[in-house]
Amino acid sequence: MQFHRLAKMAFLALTATRVATAFSAATLRSVGASSSSVASTSRRSLTNAASVAFLDNRNRGSSVSTTAGRFLSQSAGAASTCTSSITALRQSTVVESELEKNLGVSHPAFDIISTDIVSEFGAYCTLYRHKKSGAELLSVSTDDDNKCFGITFRTPPTDSTGVPHILEHSVLCGSRKYKTKDPFVQLLQGSLQTFLNAFTYPDRTCYVVASQNTKDFYNLINVYADAVYHPRATSDPMVHAQEGWHLELEKMEEPLTYKGVVYNEMKGVYSSPDSLLQRDAQQSIFPDNTYGVDSGGSPVEIPNLSFEQFSEFHQKFYHPGNSRIFFAGDDDVAKRLEIMDEYLDDFGPSPESKPASTIQWQKKTFDEPKKIRNPYPAGNDQPETHMIMVNWLVNDRPFTPVEEITVTILDHLLMGTSSSILHKTLMESGLGESITGGGLMSELMQGTFSVGLKGVKPEDVDKVEELVLSTLQKVAEEGFTEDAIAASMNTIEFDMREFNTGSFPKGLSLMLGSMREWIYDRSPTDALRFEEPLAELKKSISESGSKVFQDMVKEFLLGNTHRSTLEMFPSKTLEEEQLQEEKDRLAKIKESMSEEELQKIIDTTVELKKLQAAEDAPEDRATIPSLELSDLKREVTEYPIAVSENEVESGVTVVRHELGSTSGIAYANLAVDVSGVALEDVPLLPLFTRMMLETGAGEYDSVALSRRIGTHTGGVSASALIAGVNEEGGTEGAVTPGEHFVTKLLITGKATSDKTDELFSIFDLILRDANLDAKSKIIEILKQAKSQKESMVQGSGHATSNSRIRSRYNVVGYINEKMSGLSSLDTVKQLLDQAENDFPALLARLENIRNTILESSTCRDGMILDLTGDAAVFEKIQPSVENFLSKLPGDANAGKLQDFYSAPHPWVDEIKEEMAANAPIADEGFIVPTQVSYVGKGGRLYDVGESVSGSSAVVSRFLGTGYMWDNIRVIGGAYGGFCQFNPRDGVFSFLSYRDPNLAGSIDVYDGAADALLASAADMENDPDALTTAIIGAIADMDGALSPDQKGTAQFKRWLTRESPEQRQKYRDEVLNTTPADFKAFAERLKALKDPSSAVVSSKAAFEDAAKVGKEFTLKNVM
């Protein structure tokens, strides 16, 4: 559990769905998604987190769990659908034969250590050792065109100066062959990469690239390999100063300040109570090894890292002999070896590299559990509640394969869903607002188990630990029921065999999974297997039921005294104290310096900013390998779609996407119209959709419903969908007023084709008969939602700012902010008060929502069943589809809803009245306890009716990865700076993330238009720069998609009435972008209409901004 970057944990876990189902439970189980399976929750939670992570593709993966490598199919007496029905990764004989030829491909520079076939994933693996350098290389051949490459170094820190994290940022800032200041950015700007990233764990650092284009893939490999082995950073102190930390001073009379990208990132991390809780918990149970320090860096300790120590760390740990090199995909194995030999041949053996990086085991040394109390920063308006988490060091020896799969299933049984016994007991106790910890974390050499509550009253602190222990004692004595075991096993195995990594590379999942063992000098391929330990666990369960889980609870938890209980208590002065401590420390440093020393800092500050602002020389830019426009696909990728209106006289429209193969799985979405819901009740829809899955339905209580879903499906979720649509007769590609949109309640699920009867039955059950009369559960859900929304504002303030800005200009933007932005926090507080003090009134509102959407005279007309599958799946499920359609509520021959494509949505007039009162064009500031800022500014770039060219995507992206990166991140020191443009509403916004500046960042935004005009002029004489920008925009459009994502993409295209012709026109405009388009965009940006700002920051930062003329209407959020 390392644990300071929950959003990054989630982002990286998405890429490791197979090998990380049990990953960051803290993240998965705190996001509050309405989902009854871990697999579904992980992918749903990532949509928010990924936007955070994309701010800087060098994200730290400090807590990416890759442990769920061995799953199972069924328990005694409970049938599993997975083994017989999911045909994933079963290649044809021809494909297998071709892949088998890649086993044992030889190269004179490499010895073959072993060959192996991981049949679970159709992976043909050869493990090599480079003869000269000692580097190990795992070559995995699969039938996957999304090729993946990674280099991982074991990098255990001995202190919290953040050296591995700073080095991870720094090695990508130029190298021996690739001379620009930041080749990483050039790749981000102008490659077809499907993944471009680096991340730091507590004990290792990974550098990963992926691409579907072979030429591009080789370019990426070369840049990354040269970067890690021959970085400029180890000989240029300015890189360490920029990415890590430096003292900054512009005038002798001014105070010294600390600046640096990582320094400011970690100030943001350490502003988050959740991150502090996770960090302190980890350190409390690892007092004696590398996990007891922060690999990311503590803001107090980072300035203790010297350039010499920084360089020595690279020299010590970045030798090829300490690296693990990974390839996966359908590229040529011989070429893999040839490319890597070019880099590895520069190095001789380094016998000390691996021993020096060996991770020492933390032994279970506590004679009795420890109790720790630490403060967390709290706002003046926050209630004085505490956070409690109980933490165990689970193992001080390697798990056997069977133990590993068993502890994974145990974790799901305890914490995997809202109905799992430990999760359910804690939440229903009323002792706190939401779960902390989330259970098992086993991505590192040693696993931990953490669980607790936040929002705990001081008098209830001791009760939380008591309840955790008593619940585990009950489990140890009574065990788990047969249906609970069946549901957990089927949930995990379904996700395992489906191997659905979404748009992220499957090769990366395989890499993270293999690294879980390989990095500790064990077999990389054994880490990927699950069939044999699965069979052994099933046998154990068939013989003794849940005894295997009970024994594990006794041995690793109840009988384990290496435990800590961490209490975090609120301090309303902590933020101020930390800021004052930093000021005092810097003042003392300044006082100790001579005038000559201070002048040197001033000179260095000027020099660094000059270097940061300088353009790369043409000859340096020419060293970065690139693609040409001729390498790009000119046609839009269209996915199959067939629309059947009033199918089998049901009144329901059925949309089908028949793909080549979906491995025997049917993916289904049922969309139900909610336009009849009163606008005042629309903010209740997120609560309503959670209740559909968490309060029980019909004869099933919440536990039984969850287990039914887990046993028979791959997951079911419910959410609200609001999507702007093209007006009938309107001009495609033009800015709309936002008055035409569709509003749906969306039930989503997946199952093997022989289980779709169950899937559709569950859809019908939760739609009709969800238990709405559940006062205690509703209060629990609302408390949890309040806690989560407060954490989101504090940790992901850029999203809050962006949502707030967009709510001022467009009807759809307003309703989205009302449902999920800052306004929704106020709504949740009001609903919580109503639930506690006037529940009958709240219940009546919820019942009215259901009655309205199931109004028999119109509901079927507003229903759409969207299905994705292959031909065999569709043939097999058709009887189930017809049966489902016939039983849906409503009259098939009754009335019709309005046509949302020709008439404004019925909410529009009322929304406009609300917008006039509640969303004026204004500069707003939202005060939270934080040491960083999230600065947003935006406005209307295009007016309603104006056509937006596809070139806008090129220019907007160019601004984000160029001007914003250089000025907000590199020069300004923020962790991220970017911009966003929506061609549908014409609104453009600038945003920053973990930003040490406030007023200065707004000044940067205001200078963007002039900078863009200058770039447009430069492009007239620099066609390569234009080509790079176009390639990057195409990369955003052409990411790899999983089967279900392909279906969803085409469904949304159809739902919004976007034509294939418009998509192709837009792509053509992207490909044909000219410097004149950049100039036109810049002129619009210079004349941005009705600009306004939204900023999340501290009171002190707003006071400083006011001193330089940046005034905001302030609101205390927490």
Side-chain angles (χ1 to χ4, degrees), residues 615-616 618 621 1015-1028 1075:
E615 295 289 336
D616 289 311
R621 291 204 308 271
S1015 295
D1018 292 342
M1019 280 184 180
E1020 295 285 359
N1021 301 311
D1022 189 1
D1024 290 343
L1026 178 59
T1027 296
T1028 295

Side-chain angles (χ1 to χ4, degrees), residues 72-75 77-88 485-498 534 538 663-666 707-715 750-759 762 876:
L72 19 111
S73 57
Q74 61 187 59
S75 67
S80 167
T81 68
C82 293
T83 303
S84 61
S85 303
I86 300 183
T87 58
I485 295 172
S488 288
M489 291 195 303
N490 188 75
T491 295
I492 292 175
E493 191 197 357
F494 189 106
D495 190 63
M496 178 75 227
R497 295 189 183 278
E498 183 191 17
L534 174 152
K538 287 193 291 185
S663 304
I665 299 173
R707 290 177 182 172
R708 183 182 176 192
I709 291 170
T711 300
H712 298 291
T713 79
K750 56 188 174 182
T752 53
S753 56
D754 57 347
K755 286 288 185 175
T756 50
D757 272 335
E758 281 284 350
L759 181 67
I762 291 167
K876 190 167 185 177

Side-chain angles (χ1 to χ4, degrees), residues 654-867:
V654 179
V655 180
R656 291 179 175 84
H657 315 281
E658 184 178 312
L659 304 178
S661 173
T662 59
S663 304
I665 299 173
Y667 299 95
N669 300 298
L670 177 65
V672 182
D673 183 80
V674 295
S675 63
V677 174
L679 184 62
E680 65 178 355
D681 288 336
V682 169
L684 272 72
L685 288 174
L687 171 63
F688 184 84
T689 55
R690 283 195 63 175
M691 294 181 67
M692 291 174 70
L693 288 159
E694 296 185 35
T695 58
E699 65 187 60
Y700 297 88
D701 64 17
S702 61
V703 174
L705 177 61
S706 176
R707 290 177 182 172
R708 183 182 176 192
I709 291 170
T711 300
H712 298 291
T713 79
V716 174
S717 62
S719 61
L721 170 68
I722 298 177
V725 301
N726 288 327
E727 181 182 359
E728 185 176 324
T731 302
E732 276 199 277
V735 172
T736 72
E739 297 181 358
H740 294 79
F741 52 95
V742 291
T743 49
K744 302 289 185 181
L745 185 154
L746 196 66
I747 305 175
T748 299
K750 56 188 174 182
T752 53
S753 56
D754 57 347
K755 286 288 185 175
T756 50
D757 272 335
E758 281 284 350
L759 181 67
F760 291 146
S761 175
I762 291 167
F763 277 19
D764 186 72
L765 176 68
I766 63 177
L767 179 63
R768 292 177 186 264
D769 295 325
N771 177 22
L772 303 180
D773 190 2
K775 179 178 179 179
S776 61
K777 185 64 177 179
I778 289 174
I779 291 173
E780 173 190 317
I781 290 172
L782 290 170
K783 285 182 176 180
Q784 186 182 57
K786 172 180 171 290
S787 175
Q788 291 161 357
K789 288 178 182 295
E790 288 174 341
S791 294
M792 283 294 293
V793 174
Q794 198 167 12
S796 300
H798 67 295
T800 299
S801 296
N802 194 38
S803 175
R804 192 71 168 194
I805 289 168
R806 293 178 177 279
S807 71
R808 301 165 183 158
Y809 303 97
N810 183 273
V811 169
V812 173
Y814 179 81
I815 196 65
N816 281 328
E817 199 277 339
K818 187 181 178 79
M819 290 181 64
S820 60
L822 189 63
S823 298
S824 68
L825 175 57
D826 293 332
T827 299
V828 165
K829 292 176 180 178
Q830 294 164 6
L831 293 177
L832 180 57
D833 178 72
Q834 188 173 38
E836 291 176 330
N837 299 305
D838 189 7
F839 181 72
L842 179 59
L843 176 60
R845 295 175 70 186
L846 292 167
E847 290 176 337
N848 187 57
I849 288 174
R850 180 163 61 192
N851 292 337
T852 299
I853 64 177
L854 297 184
E855 166 58 44
S856 62
S857 64
T858 55
C859 71
R860 287 211 183 187
D861 184 56
M863 288 183 180
I864 304 168
L865 180 62
D866 178 60
L867 301 170

Side-chain angles (χ1 to χ4, degrees), residues 271 273-274 376-383 454 572 575 786-795 822 825 829 926-930 1096-1097 1099 1115-1118:
S271 297
D274 293 315
Y376 72 87
N380 290 328
D381 292 344
Q382 279 183 273
K454 58 194 297 188
K572 298 185 185 298
E575 178 194 348
K786 172 180 171 290
S787 175
Q788 291 161 357
K789 288 178 182 295
E790 288 174 341
S791 294
M792 283 294 293
V793 174
Q794 198 167 12
L822 189 63
L825 175 57
K829 292 176 180 178
F926 304 103
I927 298 173
V928 300
T930 181
V1096 175
S1097 192
K1099 181 180 179 182
K1115 176 182 178 181
N1116 282 302
V1117 176
M1118 49 194 304

Side-chain angles (χ1 to χ4, degrees), residues 569-601:
F569 59 90
S571 170
K572 298 185 185 298
T573 61
L574 182 60
E575 178 194 348
E576 183 180 342
E577 291 167 3
Q578 290 171 335
L579 291 173
Q580 190 60 49
E581 188 278 332
E582 181 180 296
K583 289 180 181 179
D584 292 345
R585 181 164 21 115
L586 288 164
K588 187 175 180 179
I589 291 172
K590 187 177 181 183
E591 288 171 7
S592 70
M593 289 182 166
S594 66
E595 188 169 320
E596 182 180 353
E597 289 171 322
L598 290 172
Q599 186 60 49
K600 185 177 180 181
I601 292 176

Side-chain angles (χ1 to χ4, degrees), residues 30 263 398 468 762 853 944:
S30 68
Y263 179 77
V468 169
I762 291 167
I853 64 177
V944 172

